[in-house]
Amino acid sequence: MPAIANPSLLILHHHHHLHLHLRPRRFATGLLPQTLLSLLSSSIRAPTLRPHSTSSSAQTQPLSTDNARTGRSGSISSPPVQPDIAQKIDINPPKGTRDFPPEDMRLRNWLFNNFKELYCFEDRGNRRVALRPELTPSLARLVIQKGKSLPLPLKWFAVGQCWRYERMTRGRRREHYQWNMDIIGVPDVTAEAELISSIVTFFKRIGITASDVGFKVSSRKVLQEVLRGYSVPDHLFGRVCVIIDKMEKIPIDDIKKELRSAELSEEVIEELLQVLSVKSLEKLEEKLGTVGEALVDLKQLFSLAEKYGYADWIQFDASVVRGLAYYTGIVFEGFDREGKLRAICGGGRYDHLLSTFGGDDIPACGFGFGDAVIVELLKEKGLLPELSPQVENIVCSLDQDLRGAAAAVARILRQRGQSVDLVLENKPLKWVFKRAARINAQRLILVGSAEWQKGMVGVKILTSGEQYEVKVDELE
Amino acid sequence: MPAIANPSLLILHHHHHLHLHLRPRRFATGLLPQTLLSLLSSSIRAPTLRPHSTSSSAQTQPLSTDNARTGRSGSISSPPVQPDIAQKIDINPPKGTRDFPPEDMRLRNWLFNNFKELYCFEDRGNRRVALRPELTPSLARLVIQKGKSLPLPLKWFAVGQCWRYERMTRGRRREHYQWNMDIIGVPDVTAEAELISSIVTFFKRIGITASDVGFKVSSRKVLQEVLRGYSVPDHLFGRVCVIIDKMEKIPIDDIKKELRSAELSEEVIEELLQVLSVKSLEKLEEKLGTVGEALVDLKQLFSLAEKYGYADWIQFDASVVRGLAYYTGIVFEGFDREGKLRAICGGGRYDHLLSTFGGDDIPACGFGFGDAVIVELLKEKGLLPELSPQVENIVCSLDQDLRGAAAAVARILRQRGQSVDLVLENKPLKWVFKRAARINAQRLILVGSAEWQKGMVGVKILTSGEQYEVKVDELE
């Protein structure tokens, strides 16, 4: 797994909508600050020009009303449009503009709220840029740029800083480091299995066990197959995922209301909610039958988990959809079994991300793992390691004239790969011993005049108290 | 040297002027975006209210002229102020405001141009923030925050990203990584000697020698002693440093002109330029005498360099002043001896930085070392290492049904600390060998059905071609 790094600044392009989709568990169709300007101006015209004024016009919330006040010509004296003088009026908005009826306005408000979490600004070259909120879109851009010169599959990781302007809670900061691992070029579920294996290996290494942490696993295809079963059009899929992703945050009645406004029938909604409550593959099989890709993928993943030896870490949970727009297949998230913290990590398959950057699609999957929640968990479990300073040698001259000699000794030790804290001032020996204890030095090297004349130094092993003289050349 | 990390975002406070001083070789008195607003509005009044209108008013360049156009009341019809209707007018600007005569305006323009290099913006909480252009002010803030709980001296290092919006040239990017090392709490030159030693050790480790790179060393105190010798007031010191720092960039006549506008007499200017051209400590001693701190510090540093064994790397050069406002003593910069590149690194003593953050002063010194110029130098010298991928094992199943078995083998090897590239798809052996060669795998582990039934796998040592079977438990 080679490490990679990407720039911290993203340029906000029209076709790069995915930059604006924020972990965790939030997503939407891609809209952009630049785009917003046109959306806003089009929303303004709705109240006056629509002949059948509905509550929708009351719901539009123009953020700037300059146009509405002064009219298109800028003249103040032009007569107001009178909607009751009925003529045959085209009820469609002008080409390229959009109205925002309440259901769309809610989505837009939700979306704008999410924009707020981006650190975005205009640079001195008038580019709209943002501090990256996550690493995957930067990776996708890089892969497309490198193109066919990259021998697939890629197995890359990165640890990078990400920024989000959000309300700070436990394990949620405005700046954090995120570990990402991605496998690009493997369509099989073996890739997801390998990724989860890496996380489990990491957990084990830091002392976290399967009784502390688990992975909820599902597939976006579960939802897709249910919707297709009821002939719900594919373009509604993304929107439904957004709504579903909020299940743990808002009351179930509000979820239902939103699903209804996405034109889902009561029957579909009921079926959907039933499926989402499924917590075992057996039950899922009863619901979906054995033929769909969702079940085949999930069964393979659970079978591989047995072989990898992490079957006790993972469980099927149909309610997991993850918050990023680009996931297409298996999705998973790590959670603490006590339920005190937000998701520890999350990931999934994103087979169509690359084409949104203008490249060919390449099957891909990956995960993101922040440094904040895991530290909270380690604290919670009493597993935070004590990492005291570790310096092998402290070197000190006994005489101001021997400072240079002490420096020479430090240089020799460093050349031999040893770490050295060189005492840079004239300090009493008592101070030197105190400092040696604080930095957990193993040896004290004393450069005294009599020894130095013989080409020797004094050595004190601080753990045992053993003391001896040694030739500088023989210091190891 | 413990590693540290700081946030990437700086809040721009009034008293944190130092955030705005940019490496390399630029500095100024500390002014801030917020402050600028008041400066600008005060500059606007100059043309109309000053009775003795000079060329200075023509030189003022208000960036916003709204007030000037509409007058204070906003009324368009109020009569213009007539400067020739002479009354006794206070020729001082109103309290708290400032005029900008040409010499000050030039400084302000220069300063504003430098502001442009900051990535600064307002966050959603209306804080003026900037992406850090360098790391030292963040370190200073942290040290003050930790206060007396920190046992001095501190010897800390950091590698962090820094951002500057500047014209991109060779070795100059808008985002770079910077290695910083600082020693806080040591007033003696032993600290500077130790820092330079660290850089030399690093250079040697990557193959750079004293014939490739040198350090120009001086002390800000040299300049200070010359100015004091001519009774030039101390407050002019910073401004003179700014001008001097431009010596290699603009013609000497312009330097002189600027020094004159800083109220230095011809005599002082000539003396200053003579001193700045001094390239040896012997000559400096002739100029300054033996008693000043500048010479004592520098002599001690060169003596320590002998003992450390890097005397051939350093040379005295009085023209080095470095571009940051906060340096107070020894300053140094690493340069390539062929003169093709800009400074490789730079640093110095900054004994008064902490008090600008409201803390007590603590003696301190440090350096910054960017990742861009050094890579250019390594390229130039043919010293860029070939760093090919290095994976110990490639593990592959010979049969789709044995994928899980291959995963189990990978897990076992990883638990034993080995790196493994697991083949995740069904690929012909030819493909596997090609990939093994590309990633420089040392061993190929083949999981075949007959061997697996015996609890064994096939091993091929790829360097020697040696082949054998081994029990999975005995894989090392």
Side-chain angles (χ1 to χ4, degrees):
Chain A
M1 277 268 174
I4 65 153
N6 294 109
S8 310
L9 295 172
L10 295 169
I11 292 200
L12 301 176
H13 289 309
H14 269 80
H15 57 283
H16 286 189
H17 6 112
L18 290 149
H19 292 156
L20 300 168
H21 298 148
L22 300 175
R23 289 177 200 266
R25 288 191 296 272
R26 290 191 184 83
F27 101 96
T29 57
L31 287 177
L32 282 183
Q34 297 106 313
T35 321
L36 300 185
L37 295 174
S38 55
L39 300 187
L40 291 174
S41 57
S42 69
S43 75
I44 291 158
R45 43 161 298 289
T48 44
L49 294 186
R50 286 192 119 195
H52 304 292
S53 184
T54 66
S55 64
S56 71
S57 55
Q59 289 273 346
T60 54
Q61 296 169 19
L63 301 191
S64 153
T65 52
D66 283 4
N67 278 353
R69 268 198 251 108
T70 59
R72 199 166 283 172
S73 67
S75 153
I76 315 166
S77 56
S78 57
V81 176
Q82 308 240 351
D84 45 310
I85 303 176
Q87 301 166 14
K88 207 177 180 188
I89 294 176
D90 180 3
I91 59 162
N92 292 310
K95 196 173 178 179
T97 69
R98 287 200 279 162
D99 291 326
F100 289 86
E103 62 275 18
D104 291 345
M105 194 61 203
R106 279 195 296 275
L107 185 66
R108 203 185 83 180
N109 285 341
W110 169 84
L111 184 68
F112 285 18
N113 286 337
N114 280 347
F115 283 155
K116 280 189 200 141
E117 297 192 349
L118 269 189
Y119 273 101
C120 63
F121 58 102
E122 202 162 301
D123 79 4
R124 307 284 171 178
N126 299 320
R127 292 172 204 86
R128 292 285 305 165
V129 293
L131 295 175
R132 61 183 178 211
E134 55 134 348
L135 298 173
T136 313
S138 309
L139 171 69
R141 185 192 42 67
L142 177 61
V143 169
I144 285 164
Q145 189 201 80
K146 292 271 178 192
K148 301 227 187 295
S149 74
L150 287 173
L152 298 179
L154 307 177
K155 299 171 177 180
W156 284 357
F157 78 93
V159 178
Q161 270 175 304
C162 297
W163 294 265
R164 268 175 237 159
Y165 191 87
E166 50 184 354
R167 213 165 56 83
M168 286 180 291
T169 58
R170 192 175 179 193
R172 191 188 285 241
R173 323 289 309 169
R174 289 181 178 166
E175 176 181 77
H176 76 293
Y177 289 87
Q178 197 173 92
W179 166 38
N180 270 229
M181 261 171 93
D182 295 87
I183 297 179
I184 293 171
V186 177
D188 302 1
V189 175
T190 46
E192 286 94 321
E194 179 83 337
L195 290 176
I196 297 174
S197 168
S198 305
I199 306 177
V200 170
T201 303
F202 165 74
F203 277 139
K204 284 182 179 170
R205 198 173 292 161
I206 62 172
I208 298 282
T209 68
S211 61
D212 301 319
V213 159
F215 292 87
K216 293 177 188 167
V217 180
S218 184
S219 170
R220 285 257 171 114
K221 289 174 187 167
V222 170
L223 221 57
Q224 206 165 31
E225 285 173 24
V226 172
L227 295 179
R228 281 183 184 163
Y230 286 88
S231 305
V232 174
D234 270 3
H235 74 266
L236 286 175
F237 179 62
R239 186 157 158 204
V240 171
C241 284
V242 178
I243 300 166
I244 297 302
D245 189 52
K246 290 187 280 191
M247 287 231 328
E248 280 182 15
K249 283 178 238 157
I250 65 174
I252 191 68
D253 282 345
D254 292 347
I255 295 284
K256 285 184 184 173
K257 220 186 281 175
E258 292 202 32
L259 289 172
R260 264 177 232 126
S261 71
E263 285 159 63
L264 262 53
S265 70
E266 292 301 323
E267 191 192 2
V268 180
I269 291 174
E270 281 314 310
E271 178 62 19
L272 205 56
L273 293 180
Q274 276 211 8
V275 170
L276 288 171
S277 70
V278 169
K279 308 278 183 206
S280 80
L281 286 182
E282 295 70 37
K283 275 224 164 164
L284 188 70
E285 191 162 348
E286 284 173 28
K287 287 273 173 204
L288 300 182
T290 48
V291 289
E293 280 181 33
L295 204 72
V296 171
D297 285 358
L298 285 162
K299 276 186 165 175
Q300 202 201 335
L301 181 61
F302 279 81
S303 154
L304 283 165
E306 294 275 357
K307 301 286 168 39
Y308 268 105
Y310 62 77
D312 50 334
W313 292 73
I314 67 171
Q315 63 195 56
F316 175 72
D317 186 331
S319 71
V320 171
V321 296
R322 297 296 300 160
L324 289 164
Y326 45 67
Y327 290 131
T328 54
I330 296 285
V331 280
F332 56 89
E333 69 184 44
F335 69 100
D336 78 301
R337 293 199 190 270
E338 287 189 64
K340 290 185 181 172
L341 302 166
R342 50 196 282 263
I344 300 165
C345 58
R349 176 162 291 278
Y350 53 92
D351 285 349
H352 302 314
L353 178 59
L354 273 68
S355 62
T356 66
F357 283 79
D360 291 337
D361 272 332
I362 304 176
C365 56
F367 68 79
F369 193 121
D371 70 326
V373 181
I374 187 65
V375 169
E376 291 300 320
L377 182 68
L378 289 168
K379 268 185 212 158
E380 194 77 41
K381 303 284 173 192
L383 289 169
L384 269 189
E386 272 195 47
L387 302 168
S388 28
Q390 285 288 350
V391 177
E392 286 161 304
N393 305 278
I394 183 162
V395 173
C396 182
S397 63
L398 291 169
D399 180 327
Q400 181 148 5
D401 292 343
L402 289 170
R403 277 190 188 184
V409 171
R411 178 182 58 95
I412 289 165
L413 283 166
R414 286 169 181 156
Q415 271 176 351
R416 292 174 187 166
Q418 296 260 322
S419 58
V420 176
D421 186 23
L422 175 63
V423 178
L424 297 168
E425 298 165 277
N426 292 316
K427 294 284 188 184
L429 265 182
K430 197 179 151 194
W431 184 95
V432 176
F433 277 106
K434 212 170 138 191
R435 179 158 179 105
R438 194 160 41 220
I439 62 174
N440 296 307
Q442 289 158 32
R443 295 194 296 188
L444 168 61
I445 316 280
L446 284 171
V447 184
S449 167
E451 297 84 0
W452 188 245
Q453 276 167 15
K454 296 182 283 174
M456 301 184 88
V457 292
V459 174
K460 187 179 172 101
I461 308 297
L462 292 163
T463 41
S464 64
E466 189 193 348
Q467 246 175 309
Y468 54 89
E469 287 180 12
V470 68
K471 287 208 165 163
V472 175
D473 300 339
E474 288 162 16
L475 262 178
E476 297 264 304
Chain B
M1 278 267 174
I4 66 152
N6 295 108
S8 310
L9 295 173
L10 295 169
I11 293 201
L12 300 176
H13 290 309
H14 268 78
H15 56 285
H16 286 190
H17 8 112
L18 289 151
H19 292 155
L20 300 169
H21 298 150
L22 300 174
R23 287 177 202 264
R25 288 191 296 271
R26 288 188 186 82
F27 98 94
T29 58
L31 287 176
L32 282 182
Q34 296 108 313
T35 320
L36 299 186
L37 295 174
S38 55
L39 301 189
L40 290 175
S41 57
S42 69
S43 75
I44 291 158
R45 43 159 296 287
T48 44
L49 293 187
R50 285 192 118 195
H52 304 292
S53 183
T54 67
S55 63
S56 72
S57 54
Q59 289 273 346
T60 55
Q61 297 168 17
L63 301 191
S64 154
T65 52
D66 283 5
N67 278 353
R69 266 197 253 108
T70 59
R72 197 165 283 171
S73 68
S75 154
I76 316 168
S77 56
S78 57
V81 176
Q82 309 238 350
D84 42 311
I85 302 173
Q87 300 166 17
K88 207 176 179 191
I89 295 177
D90 180 4
I91 59 161
N92 291 310
K95 196 175 179 177
T97 70
R98 287 200 279 161
D99 290 325
F100 288 86
E103 62 276 16
D104 291 346
M105 194 64 204
R106 279 195 296 276
L107 185 66
R108 202 184 83 182
N109 285 341
W110 168 86
L111 184 67
F112 284 18
N113 286 337
N114 281 347
F115 283 156
K116 280 190 201 140
E117 297 192 348
L118 269 189
Y119 273 100
C120 63
F121 58 101
E122 202 161 299
D123 79 3
R124 307 283 171 180
N126 298 321
R127 291 172 204 87
R128 291 286 304 165
V129 293
L131 295 175
R132 60 181 179 213
E134 55 134 349
L135 298 173
T136 312
S138 309
L139 171 68
R141 185 192 41 67
L142 177 62
V143 169
I144 285 164
Q145 190 201 78
K146 292 271 178 190
K148 301 228 186 294
S149 73
L150 287 174
L152 298 180
L154 307 177
K155 299 172 179 180
W156 284 356
F157 77 93
V159 179
Q161 270 175 302
C162 298
W163 293 265
R164 269 175 238 160
Y165 190 86
E166 49 184 354
R167 211 165 57 84
M168 285 181 292
T169 58
R170 193 175 178 194
R172 191 188 284 242
R173 323 288 311 168
R174 289 181 178 165
E175 178 180 77
H176 76 291
Y177 290 86
Q178 195 172 95
W179 167 38
N180 269 231
M181 260 171 94
D182 295 86
I183 297 178
I184 292 170
V186 177
D188 302 1
V189 175
T190 45
E192 286 95 321
E194 178 85 337
L195 291 176
I196 296 174
S197 167
S198 305
I199 306 177
V200 169
T201 302
F202 165 73
F203 277 139
K204 284 183 179 169
R205 198 173 291 160
I206 62 172
I208 299 280
T209 68
S211 61
D212 301 320
V213 159
F215 292 87
K216 293 177 188 167
V217 180
S218 184
S219 170
R220 285 255 171 117
K221 290 174 187 167
V222 170
L223 220 57
Q224 208 165 30
E225 287 174 20
V226 172
L227 295 178
R228 281 182 183 163
Y230 286 87
S231 304
V232 174
D234 270 3
H235 73 265
L236 285 175
F237 179 62
R239 188 158 157 204
V240 170
C241 286
V242 177
I243 299 166
I244 296 302
D245 190 51
K246 289 187 280 189
M247 287 234 324
E248 281 180 17
K249 282 178 238 155
I250 64 174
I252 190 70
D253 283 346
D254 292 349
I255 295 285
K256 286 183 185 174
K257 220 185 281 173
E258 293 201 32
L259 290 172
R260 263 176 232 127
S261 71
E263 286 159 64
L264 262 52
S265 69
E266 290 303 320
E267 192 193 0
V268 179
I269 292 173
E270 280 314 308
E271 178 63 19
L272 206 56
L273 293 180
Q274 276 212 8
V275 169
L276 288 170
S277 70
V278 170
K279 308 278 184 205
S280 80
L281 287 183
E282 295 70 37
K283 276 224 164 163
L284 189 70
E285 192 163 346
E286 285 172 27
K287 288 271 174 207
L288 300 183
T290 48
V291 290
E293 280 182 35
L295 203 72
V296 171
D297 285 357
L298 285 162
K299 277 186 166 176
Q300 201 201 335
L301 181 61
F302 278 81
S303 155
L304 284 165
E306 293 276 355
K307 302 286 170 36
Y308 269 105
Y310 62 77
D312 49 336
W313 292 72
I314 67 170
Q315 61 195 58
F316 174 73
D317 187 331
S319 71
V320 170
V321 296
R322 297 295 300 161
L324 289 162
Y326 45 67
Y327 289 132
T328 54
I330 296 284
V331 280
F332 56 88
E333 70 184 42
F335 69 101
D336 76 304
R337 294 200 190 268
E338 287 190 64
K340 290 185 182 173
L341 303 165
R342 50 196 282 262
I344 299 165
C345 59
R349 176 163 292 277
Y350 52 93
D351 284 350
H352 302 314
L353 178 58
L354 273 69
S355 63
T356 67
F357 284 79
D360 291 337
D361 271 331
I362 303 176
C365 57
F367 67 81
F369 193 122
D371 70 327
V373 181
I374 186 64
V375 169
E376 291 300 319
L377 182 68
L378 289 168
K379 269 186 210 155
E380 194 75 43
K381 303 284 172 192
L383 288 170
L384 269 189
E386 274 196 45
L387 302 168
S388 28
Q390 285 288 352
V391 177
E392 287 161 303
N393 305 278
I394 182 163
V395 173
C396 180
S397 65
L398 291 168
D399 180 328
Q400 180 147 8
D401 292 344
L402 289 171
R403 279 190 185 184
V409 171
R411 178 181 58 94
I412 289 165
L413 283 167
R414 286 170 181 157
Q415 271 176 351
R416 292 175 187 167
Q418 296 261 320
S419 58
V420 177
D421 185 24
L422 175 63
V423 178
L424 297 168
E425 298 166 278
N426 292 315
K427 294 285 187 183
L429 265 183
K430 200 181 148 192
W431 183 95
V432 175
F433 277 105
K434 213 171 136 189
R435 181 161 177 101
R438 194 159 41 220
I439 63 174
N440 296 307
Q442 288 158 31
R443 296 194 295 188
L444 167 63
I445 315 281
L446 284 171
V447 184
S449 166
E451 296 84 2
W452 187 248
Q453 277 167 16
K454 295 181 285 173
M456 300 184 90
V457 291
V459 174
K460 186 180 172 99
I461 308 297
L462 291 165
T463 42
S464 63
E466 189 194 349
Q467 248 176 307
Y468 54 90
E469 288 181 12
V470 68
K471 286 207 166 168
V472 175
D473 298 340
E474 289 162 15
L475 262 178
E476 298 262 304

